[in-house]
Amino acid sequence: MDLITTLEGLVPELEKGLDRASSLEELENLRVDFLGRKGRIAQIMAQLPQLAPQDRPAVGQAANRVKESCNALFDARKAALEAGREAAALARFDASLPGRAPWRGSLHPTTLITEEICGIFKGLGFDVASGPEVEIDRYNFEALNMPPEHPARDMQDTLYITDTVLLRTHTSPVQVRTMLARKPPLAVVVPGKVYRRDSDLTHTPMFHQIEGLLVGQDISMAHLRGTLTAFVRAVFGGATRVRFRPSFFPFTEPSAEVDISCCICGGEGHVNGEPCRVCKTTGWVEILGCGMVDPAVFAAVGYPDEVTGFAFGLGVERVAMLKYGIGDLRMFFENDVRFLGQFN
Ligand code: PHE
């Protein structure tokens, strides 16, 4: 039974070959060599017709046994090689290495300052209100004591949508909307976007304001001064000095602009002997406009003659620039993550 011996001899031979095989590719080559359609076992089986018929079944059975053994050997070796691959991959993987830190978002400085300022006024009893950015002439100008021929309506400053519809140039129209909707006493702050036809180093066509309005009985300039001083010290620190300069707004009378002692040089006018760039050595920086609500505004919203109140409006980017020492207004609009990421 020569063929049977040859067949059975294939098993130890395959075993040796498998021991040397170190990759799945080599394994596959061996498989083709032994078990393939033209492989060693197939070649032996091809000789079957030359045998006497009574000898053929024994050889066929031997071939099947050998095939089974070979398959089992392949499977075992394949499993071992795959396990080895995994182990090697795991050996390269260092579970003790620190992970990659995930990107962490942060709030935009404009948002941060807006939230901080509104939070301060909420603490003083103010509500937070809002109004539309597309506004009608009547609320943006007329009811604020700026009649049709008023120079503030100039096309140079205002972005008009139609003759009577425009992008609000300040948050003050929300004063009007609030008073039309509510009865005094009331106190609101109104954060929001405003638009002006202005674009240079220190002006952008859109920026943010926060409006304040307080209406009640016997409200005086002293209340305004006390409220704004408390606000300024909450944002810029308790040592900040505040001064009121006479000014003019059509919707307040009297009106004032508020300066604070420069938060960059501490009001000294110089930093390390160098002239302060922020206050230009004056020691003061302007931060907002304000005043006592003009009776003409109360009349426009149908409030009784006895009411009194104050209003103020501040530029959010301006406060943020002063508070964080940001020198360039454009930083707020460029969305450079290297800048924004510093406000975590
Ligand atoms: N609306 C004014 C401006 O945009 C600011 C202001 C608001 C002044 C309220 C006085 C009272 O310049």
Side-chain angles (χ1 to χ4, degrees), residues 260-284:
I260 60 168
S261 51
C262 178
C263 44
I264 303 300
C265 63
E268 298 299 321
H270 288 79
V271 191
N272 303 325
E274 294 288 319
C276 178
R277 283 182 307 120
V278 172
C279 67
K280 307 206 169 60
T281 74
T282 62
W284 296 96

Side-chain angles (χ1 to χ4, degrees), residues 170 172 175 196 209 211 249 251-252 289-291 311-313:
H170 51 179
S172 302
Q175 287 189 33
R196 290 183 195 175
Q209 282 190 336
E211 191 81 8
F249 299 102
F251 35 92
T252 48
C290 64
F312 58 88

